[in-house]
């Protein structure tokens, strides 16, 4: 796998969630992603950025345009140093929320991308990486 380009931006305040969406949209366009896939990726980014801000206490978004076996992908990581997720199985259940949300952000995001990885531990923060191939 090669990294064609990469960057980082903060995800701390409401406006950063908007900027995260805008960056994801532009990168997906640059990758030549189909509109349907672009929309899925941007929706997943929106959910994860909001979780980073709301539950993670803010963090960062790292992005990479990657190439592997002649295909191009957009990989985005959200990372925070917040409280972490004590019960990941529960958090990955449709409809479960700790905070009065719909509890569909994580599970929805997972369904919208080709690859979804979540690393978390109580007190050690949360890191979610999603990838969508063109
Ligand atoms: N970055 C994070 N740090 C700590 N806890 C998190 C983080 N992201 C998600 N969680 C926990 O996982 C739960 C499920 O997240 P999910 O996004 O699926 O639902 P929600 O944010 O509660 O509601 P929705 O996104 O549907 O409005 C959250 O309620 C929260 O407890
Ligand atoms: Mg959410």
């Amino acid at each position: 796998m090669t990294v064609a380009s990469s960057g980082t931006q903060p995800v701390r305040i409401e406006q950063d969630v908007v900027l995260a969406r805008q960056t994801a949209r532009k990168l997906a366009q640059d990758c030549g992603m189909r509109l349907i896939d672009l929309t899925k990726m941007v929706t997943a980014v929106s959910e994860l950025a909001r979780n980073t801000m709301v539950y993670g206490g803010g963090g960062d978004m790292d992005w990479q345009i990657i190439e592997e076996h002649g295909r191009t992908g957009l990989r985005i990581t959200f990372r925070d140093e917040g409280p972490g997720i004590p019960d990941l199985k529960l958090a990955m259940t449709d409809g479960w929320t700790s905070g009065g949300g719909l509890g569909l952000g994580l599970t929805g995001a997972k369904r919208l991308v080709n690859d979804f990885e979540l690393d978390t531990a109580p007190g050690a923060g949360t890191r979610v990486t999603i990838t969508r191939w063109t």
Side-chain angles (χ1 to χ4, degrees):
M1 188 199 83
T2 55
V3 178
S5 58
S6 65
T8 295
Q9 65 191 62
V11 183
R12 300 190 187 280
I13 59 172
E14 189 70 37
Q15 180 62 15
D16 294 334
V17 177
V18 176
L19 294 175
R21 289 175 63 99
Q22 286 174 359
T23 296
R25 181 176 300 277
K26 183 186 176 299
L27 292 169
Q29 280 166 349
D30 290 351
C31 289
M33 210 178 278
R34 295 186 307 159
L35 183 59
I36 180 87
D37 295 332
L38 175 153
T39 305
K40 289 176 180 176
M41 190 65 174
V42 171
T43 302
V45 161
S46 190
E47 292 296 333
L48 297 176
R50 188 159 298 282
N51 282 353
T52 298
M53 181 186 75
V54 172
Y55 302 109
D60 291 288
M61 167 179 129
D62 304 319
W63 59 264
Q64 294 180 325
I65 292 178
I66 54 178
E67 276 151 23
E68 191 175 54
H69 308 308
R71 60 183 186 166
T72 303
L74 175 56
R75 179 166 289 168
I76 303 186
T77 298
F78 291 89
R79 51 187 169 82
D80 64 64
E81 295 177 351
I85 303 176
D87 188 337
L88 187 53
K89 197 160 171 264
L90 199 56
M92 290 304 296
T93 303
D94 275 336
W96 188 85
T97 176
S98 69
L102 292 175
L104 293 173
L106 288 176
T107 51
K110 184 174 181 176
R111 289 191 200 101
L112 291 170
V113 297
N114 298 126
D115 190 71
F116 179 99
E117 282 174 49
L118 200 167
D119 290 312
T120 185
T126 299
R127 174 183 291 254
V128 188
T129 299
I130 54 174
T131 307
R132 181 95 216 172
W133 296 100
T134 57

